[in-house]
Amino acid sequence: VTDNLSGGLGYNQTMGKSGKRKPRAMTTFGENTARAKVGKKRKKKRKKGQNSRPVAVEEKSMGSRGPMPNFLCSTDPKRGEKFFAWLIHPITIPEFMNAHFEKKHLLIKRGYNVDEADDESKHYYHGWYSTTSIRSALENHAMHYGRDLDLTKFTGGQRKTVNQEGRAMGEAVWAKFSGGCSVRILRPQEYSDKVCGMLALMDEFWGRVSGANAYLTPSGTQGFAPHFDDVDVYILQLEGRKRWRLYPPRSPNDILPRFSSENLDPEELPEPILDTVLNPGDLLYAPRGTIHQAVALPGGPPSLHLTLSSGQRCTWTDYLSLLLPAAVQIAAESDPSFRESAPRRFGGYMGVVHSDKTDSDTGRQRAAFKKKVLSLVQKLLDDDHLPIDASVDQMYREFMHGRVPPLEFIVPELKMNRPKIPTERAKTDSSNDAKGELTATMQIRLVSDGCARLAMEGEAAVLYFCSTNSRNYKDKDENSLPFADHCAPALERILEAFPRYVRIGDLDSLSPEEQLIVANVLHENGVVVAKKG
């Protein structure tokens, strides 16, 4: 039964038709999809004119914040949605999606003034990340230039990276900072539970990989050249003040780009669509492709902002680049017309060299060739060749590998809500108590919403999951559990039941022995939590 369920519980192999194991690397995406079966003290009075609107800005204002919402200790299945709603408050999520997402920047001014405030902890985003967080990371962890942080300057219209080699020592970093260099923390989630928790909540809300950078800039300086990014960015001002200028795309080719730009020449930029100053607690959203540059205001404290990002390589283009090749392979396996030979010597009249030829013979041949190609393309679209669901599964497989772990594996306060992954000693101990094995009367559910994804690959039902992921993008091998294909209905039931529990003994599509094997494998690998029935 063990071999039938999960290839010997090795989790790195699938079963071939002959019953022999074959390495996962031998199964291509085309093969997989072709055979898919399952498918927060008092308010400060605002000065007159304090909230005057900058150039072409969409702005919403709100008062001081209350206590920081404790999202990171939440087990609410809608915690991701509630976090994002809090992030962009007072804009609602429907307002954001309809008027701003991938369309227009959003500026939210929250009325906090650095010069007047007597209590820094009153700004909206206080407590999530700070300069103290950076100092602590430098002092307590081996941070390296280029991997964990960059030191940059933007002077004379040129950006310069002034990294040293090897480990970034705190004394050297702060000396460069005192000399006018900006400090960019490349992956703050590595050493900050709160930032990592924010990313986990962003992942749950968007269903795509999120990221974070932190930027500490000396007053009166700029660290980066104007540029645009290949991600949507949410800029949370945490300390000091920074002047931001946003510019429209230079051409249609720069709208919603799939890749970031090089450094741009400030002299060649169009007129800004936004020129504003962010205070602590303010938020600025800029869609993918928005040109931007920022400078910390002189005469005040350094500026610190945290940038959350989302949406890299998660476009229709990326989806179709998975879907269409797989569709061609499926068509080739099932329709002989896709396997017919191309015309004899078709290179003699097709190709760029021949594209302008107008003589009658060549014209007829070219027309016939194009007609055949279009007929096959139409057939590809009309017939049942498009593995639409299986391609989504493969795209989400990448998401499972690239995202951060769920909150339950990040925040100590949620320790009781995550499964205990057994040690090697416990795995080899023959007693049930040592192994922590589950019984048929117990109930299980997913650790968190969307922490696993089922895909049918060949003759295996493969469950991809993120419970033991690295905090950094794909720093570990992907986590997957292959089961025999007849386990798919039981796995589907567990996935679809969240946030409800499922009684192990009620997984009717499996035999009693198989029910226990599946449940224990999922629990041991941190996919599900369990409770007594």
Side-chain angles (χ1 to χ4, degrees):
V1 174
T2 298
D3 275 348
N4 289 339
L5 282 170
S6 53
L9 302 186
Y11 315 126
N12 58 359
Q13 296 172 321
T14 57
M15 301 296 290
K17 286 186 176 181
S18 64
K20 296 180 180 180
R21 299 187 183 99
K22 60 179 180 179
R24 174 69 50 75
M26 293 175 61
T27 303
T28 66
F29 170 65
E31 290 172 345
N32 299 339
T33 54
R35 300 173 183 174
K37 298 179 181 179
V38 180
K40 15 183 202 315
K41 291 185 179 176
R42 70 188 186 275
K43 273 187 184 176
K44 287 287 180 181
K45 221 173 181 180
R46 294 192 185 107
K47 287 183 177 179
K48 185 176 180 181
Q50 180 178 315
N51 286 331
S52 57
R53 295 178 180 270
V55 178
V57 62
E58 180 69 24
E59 179 182 318
K60 294 285 182 176
S61 298
M62 65 171 292
S64 301
R65 63 183 291 278
M68 184 174 73
N70 204 6
F71 296 109
L72 302 188
C73 295
S74 173
T75 57
D76 189 330
K78 293 187 176 182
R79 64 193 183 188
E81 181 179 345
K82 291 181 177 180
F83 168 78
F84 192 77
W86 170 82
L87 185 73
I88 63 172
H89 180 79
I91 287 283
T92 67
I93 292 175
E95 285 176 322
F96 175 79
M97 298 304 295
N98 292 330
H100 296 281
F101 180 63
E102 293 192 339
K103 303 178 186 73
K104 185 181 180 181
H105 65 269
L106 170 65
L107 173 64
I108 298 178
K109 302 287 288 182
R110 293 199 163 96
Y112 182 89
N113 190 300
V114 174
D115 296 330
E116 295 183 0
D118 58 357
D119 184 0
E120 185 178 295
S121 69
K122 288 190 68 176
H123 82 70
Y124 198 74
Y125 297 128
H126 175 79
W128 289 93
Y129 196 72
S130 66
T131 301
T132 302
S133 304
I134 299 175
R135 292 186 180 276
S136 176
L138 283 168
E139 291 171 4
N140 299 309
H141 302 281
M143 301 181 72
H144 288 74
Y145 292 104
R147 184 191 73 182
D148 301 292
L149 65 82
D150 286 323
L151 299 175
T152 67
K153 273 187 175 184
F154 182 73
T155 57
Q158 298 291 322
R159 173 194 160 182
K160 297 179 181 179
T161 301
V162 293
N163 289 347
Q164 300 177 18
E165 295 293 329
R167 180 175 176 178
M169 306 303 293
E171 185 176 352
V173 170
W174 297 119
K176 289 289 186 181
F177 177 75
S178 297
C181 287
S182 288
V183 181
R184 175 171 66 176
I185 305 299
L186 293 170
R187 45 187 196 177
Q189 71 272 14
E190 173 76 7
Y191 309 116
S192 169
D193 288 347
K194 291 179 180 178
V195 175
C196 195
M198 293 175 101
L199 296 187
L201 293 166
M202 288 282 283
D203 287 344
E204 288 186 17
F205 176 71
W206 286 107
R208 59 192 66 174
V209 176
S210 303
N213 286 332
Y215 300 82
L216 182 63
T217 308
S219 61
T221 70
Q222 180 169 337
F224 294 86
H227 65 281
F228 61 74
D229 296 310
D230 59 352
V231 288
D232 294 293
V233 296
Y234 305 82
I235 299 157
L236 287 63
Q237 188 69 19
L238 303 177
E239 299 173 7
R241 296 184 295 182
K242 205 164 198 177
R243 178 190 179 190
W244 285 84
R245 281 167 286 180
L246 307 185
Y247 307 85
R250 300 167 298 176
S251 72
N253 292 337
D254 290 345
I255 298 174
L256 300 178
R258 296 183 61 245
F259 301 95
S260 298
S261 72
E262 300 292 333
N263 294 333
L264 304 179
D265 186 344
E267 300 298 323
E268 298 179 359
L269 297 178
E271 287 297 312
I273 55 175
L274 174 66
D275 189 337
T276 191
V277 173
L278 295 188
N279 284 281
D282 293 346
L283 172 73
L284 178 59
Y285 162 75
R288 187 162 38 102
T290 304
I291 300 171
H292 55 278
Q293 63 175 327
V295 58
L297 291 194
S303 166
L304 174 66
H305 75 267
L306 179 69
T307 295
L308 305 179
S309 63
S310 182
Q312 187 178 55
R313 300 312 179 267
C314 194
T315 68
W316 285 112
T317 297
D318 299 284
Y319 173 69
L320 291 173
S321 67
L322 293 172
L323 174 70
L324 296 179
V328 171
Q329 182 169 338
I330 293 170
E333 291 179 356
S334 60
D335 189 334
S337 64
F338 283 84
R339 301 196 297 270
E340 293 174 359
S341 295
R344 185 180 68 87
R345 293 179 59 83
F346 67 96
Y349 54 87
M350 297 303 300
V352 176
V353 173
H354 306 288
S355 61
D356 295 329
K357 290 184 178 179
T358 58
D359 61 272
S360 58
D361 287 344
T362 301
R364 283 194 299 269
Q365 290 173 311
R366 289 179 59 80
F369 189 92
K370 291 179 181 179
K371 183 179 180 180
K372 179 65 174 179
V373 170
L374 292 176
S375 70
L376 291 175
V377 171
Q378 192 61 53
K379 207 170 190 181
L380 196 68
L381 299 177
D382 289 344
D383 294 347
D384 191 20
H385 298 316
L386 295 176
I388 294 175
D389 290 309
S391 299
V392 171
D393 288 335
Q394 291 300 317
M395 203 163 183
Y396 262 71
R397 170 183 176 179
E398 290 297 306
F399 169 55
M400 280 296 122
H401 188 197
R403 63 162 293 178
V404 297
L407 278 182
E408 286 74 10
F409 291 85
I410 298 170
V411 182
E413 287 82 357
L414 289 178
K415 185 175 181 180
M416 296 303 293
N417 296 305
R418 68 189 185 200
K420 182 178 180 181
I421 299 176
T423 62
E424 290 302 316
R425 176 181 177 183
K427 289 180 181 178
T428 56
D429 194 316
S430 61
S431 70
N432 285 354
D433 288 341
K435 292 183 179 181
E437 287 188 352
L438 309 181
T439 64
T441 60
M442 297 180 75
Q443 300 180 58
I444 57 174
R445 70 156 173 83
L446 288 181
V447 170
S448 68
D449 186 23
C451 70
R453 185 78 185 190
L454 179 66
M456 296 304 299
E457 302 184 0
E459 296 176 353
V462 185
L463 195 71
Y464 295 95
F465 61 99
C466 63
S467 302
T468 56
N469 276 12
S470 167
R471 292 187 176 199
N472 300 311
Y473 183 70
K474 294 186 177 181
D475 259 9
K476 293 181 180 179
D477 293 338
E478 70 177 350
N479 300 304
S480 63
L481 298 169
F483 297 89
D485 57 1
H486 75 270
C487 297
L491 296 170
E492 285 180 348
R493 181 173 178 182
I494 296 168
L495 296 179
E496 293 173 354
F498 184 86
R500 302 183 307 277
Y501 281 80
V502 175
R503 184 176 178 274
I504 296 172
D506 291 341
L507 298 174
D508 300 331
S509 61
L510 302 177
S511 70
E513 188 176 4
E514 290 173 335
Q515 292 170 351
L516 295 177
I517 293 174
V518 169
N520 278 287
V521 168
L522 296 178
H523 188 255
E524 288 170 6
N525 285 274
V527 180
V528 299
V529 291
K531 69 177 184 178
K532 293 182 179 180

